Amino acid sequence: MEQFTKMIKARAADKDGLRVVPFFACREAARECGLSPREAEIEALKNGVCPSRYMRSIGTLGLEGQAKLLSSRAAVVGCGGLGGWIVEMLARIGVGELVLIDGDVFEDNNLNRQLYCDERDLGMAKAEAAARRVEQVNNVVLAMPHVSFIDEHNGPELLAGCNVAIDALDSNKARRAVLSACRGMGIPFVHGAIAGYYAQTCVCYPGDKPLWDRDDAPDKGVETETGNPTFTPPFIAAVEVAETVKILADLDGKLKNTLLWYDLQKHDLQKLKI
């Protein structure tokens, strides 16, 4: 580690008040010192040097926050409309390990909104497509795809070692299974849902009980009537990712005991206490 630290400090330069090491210089130093790319980036950050790929994030996250992200594991449960955008943002911001869970494959009706669905990949497993994309965007991030649907039986196994789970699901039954596993592990569950112009999100901590966590709650909502257009998934995915990053990097402003509800048609936002 000492040799690596000397090498990156020598190759770093000042940029806008930040010591920055170029992408390829960091990778080369890692190879020469026998470190994995992720180990190298974490070590650089801990020694006050920012790998260049993250320099636009440091003003928000700080060096310590970025290092915490790279040392974290998050599960994205569902890799379709919401999940694809969530995976993309988490990979780019540098969450170190992503558990990608989805038993579904791409169909032609996914082409309107699902980031990783294109005409060449119809029939491909969504979790595998997401993992392929992560490797292309940031191969420091370890993507672990699971082509399976989560339930009360496999939830604890699939979420093992995760610091947070992120909701990109389309049924309340599946949400309850994930929330139950999160409670057992003592980790937060970042909830999100979409329907037409509407979207909502909240963060469920182990002691919380959201409205959909009851046996008489309908499994589906108004999305069966409104559908899901192109623009709503990336909107609420960004809010979910912001909350996830605040949790993993231990930043201020975490959402607690509040559900955010949006109407993008009327430009209405409501904050509902839960």
Side-chain angles (χ1 to χ4, degrees):
M1 290 294 188
E2 184 177 350
Q3 179 187 1
F4 172 79
T5 302
K6 289 180 180 178
M7 291 175 68
I8 59 163
K9 286 185 174 181
R11 299 176 188 184
D14 287 324
K15 292 187 178 181
D16 299 325
L18 188 67
R19 293 292 290 172
V20 178
V21 61
F23 175 82
F24 290 112
C26 189
R27 288 292 173 90
E28 182 181 359
R31 285 193 298 269
E32 292 181 17
C33 296
L35 298 177
S36 72
R38 182 149 51 106
E39 288 174 330
E41 290 187 354
I42 293 171
E43 190 66 18
L45 289 160
K46 288 181 176 180
N47 283 277
V49 178
C50 178
S52 57
R53 72 179 305 138
Y54 305 119
M55 63 180 294
R56 297 295 184 185
S57 300
I58 297 305
T60 300
L61 305 180
L63 294 172
E64 183 180 356
Q66 185 66 65
K68 287 179 179 177
L69 287 187
L70 284 165
S71 302
S72 299
R73 176 183 291 186
V76 182
V77 191
C79 298
L82 273 176
W85 296 101
I86 291 168
V87 170
E88 183 81 8
M89 287 183 264
L90 293 178
R92 288 186 180 275
I93 205 165
V95 174
E97 296 181 357
L98 295 177
V99 178
L100 310 175
I101 305 167
D102 198 315
D104 204 0
V105 300
F106 289 123
E107 300 177 3
D108 50 7
N109 64 75
N110 302 146
L111 288 165
N112 80 315
R113 70 197 183 284
Q114 298 196 11
L115 181 60
Y116 301 144
C117 180
D118 62 44
E119 294 177 1
R120 299 165 297 178
D121 292 335
L122 295 178
M124 183 176 184
K126 295 179 182 181
E128 292 179 349
R132 180 181 65 182
R133 176 64 175 175
V134 169
E135 185 175 0
Q136 294 168 345
V137 168
N138 187 352
N139 69 5
V140 161
V141 176
L142 174 62
M144 296 169 277
H146 297 274
V147 184
S148 58
F149 295 107
I150 197 164
D151 57 34
E152 63 274 14
H153 303 295
N154 63 13
E157 180 181 356
L158 291 173
L159 300 181
C162 291
N163 304 106
V164 65
I166 307 153
D167 176 10
L169 294 160
D170 62 0
S171 79
N172 286 330
K173 180 180 179 181
R175 289 187 179 100
R176 287 194 292 271
V178 179
L179 182 58
S180 176
C182 289
R183 284 173 175 152
M185 298 167 60
I187 64 173
F189 178 48
V190 180
H191 162 64
I194 53 176
Y197 283 103
Y198 309 122
Q200 67 181 42
T201 188
C202 68
V203 179
C204 304
Y205 290 89
D208 296 342
K209 189 171 181 62
L211 292 175
W212 41 263
D213 184 26
R214 63 181 199 271
D215 293 337
D216 62 344
D219 199 39
K220 301 282 186 178
V222 71
E223 71 274 8
T224 58
E225 301 173 14
T226 62
N228 285 313
T230 303
F231 48 83
T232 321
F235 172 81
I236 206 64
V239 181
E240 287 189 81
V241 169
E243 291 307 312
T244 300
V245 168
K246 284 185 277 186
I247 290 167
L248 296 178
D250 195 21
L251 303 177
D252 292 335
K254 300 179 188 69
L255 188 62
K256 292 183 178 181
N257 305 122
T258 301
L259 182 137
L260 303 178
W261 182 88
Y262 302 88
D263 179 343
L264 297 181
Q265 185 175 32
K266 297 179 180 178
H267 305 288
D268 188 17
L269 162 64
Q270 296 186 35
K271 298 175 74 173
L272 307 174
K273 289 297 179 183
I274 56 173

